[in-house]
Amino acid sequence: QVQLVESGGGLVQPGGSLRLSCAASGSRFSIINSMAWYRQAGKERELVATITSGGSTAYADSVKGRFTISRDNAKNTVYLQMNSLRPEDTAVYYCNANIKIDDSWGTYWGQGTQVTVSS
C-alpha cells in the first residue's frame, strides 16, 4: 500500500556531507503527517530528526547545528542534509512517516540506507 524508498547513503570522509532522500509512494494514501529520520548503529534505533506537515522541526542533540531535515509535500519526500559528518554518525539511516490510508493512520518505515563516515 505504501512504500518509503530511501537514497543518498554512502561512504564519506569526516567533515564531509551527504544528503538523504526518502520518497513515499502508494495508490491509496491521502495524508502524510509527521516524517522523521532514525538511525541504528547497534541494537537500538535512535531518533535523529522530525518534521511536521507544517514544517516544524526537532533534532537530537548530537546532530543539532549539523543536520537539517526538510520536506517537499508535493513530492511526498523528506530529506536529511548532513554536514560536518563524524565517524560516530556511521549507521543505517531509516525514514519514517505517519500516513493516513482510507480512514486509518499508520506508521511506515523505509528499508534503510547505510551511511559510513571514515577516512
Side-chain angles (χ1 to χ4, degrees):
Q1 294 177 336
V2 175
Q3 274 193 310
L4 298 180
V5 179
E6 298 121 335
S7 61
L11 173 64
V12 63
Q13 292 187 342
S17 298
L18 282 175
R19 188 192 195 208
L20 306 183
S21 299
C22 173
S25 63
S27 60
R28 294 167 55 193
F29 70 82
S30 58
I31 301 172
I32 301 178
N33 193 5
S34 61
M35 304 184 83
W37 287 97
Y38 287 73
R39 66 186 180 186
Q40 187 167 6
K43 288 186 178 180
E44 301 213 351
R45 194 166 290 188
E46 171 192 24
L47 177 61
V48 175
T50 63
I51 185 166
T52 67
S53 57
S56 297
T57 60
Y59 297 91
D61 286 343
S62 58
V63 306
K64 278 181 184 176
R66 299 188 299 123
F67 291 10
T68 302
I69 189 171
S70 61
R71 64 191 284 172
D72 184 334
N73 291 330
K75 296 181 179 180
N76 297 320
T77 299
V78 63
Y79 305 96
L80 186 68
Q81 178 66 44
M82 304 185 293
N83 299 328
S84 302
L85 282 161
R86 304 167 180 169
E88 54 263 39
D89 294 318
T90 296
V92 178
Y93 284 70
Y94 297 89
C95 71
N96 165 288
N98 192 25
I99 299 175
K100 187 177 184 181
I101 299 177
D102 296 330
D103 294 327
S104 299
W105 287 93
T107 298
Y108 297 86
W109 292 90
Q111 82 285 356
T113 185
Q114 177 71 46
V115 171
T116 302
V117 185
S118 175
S119 55

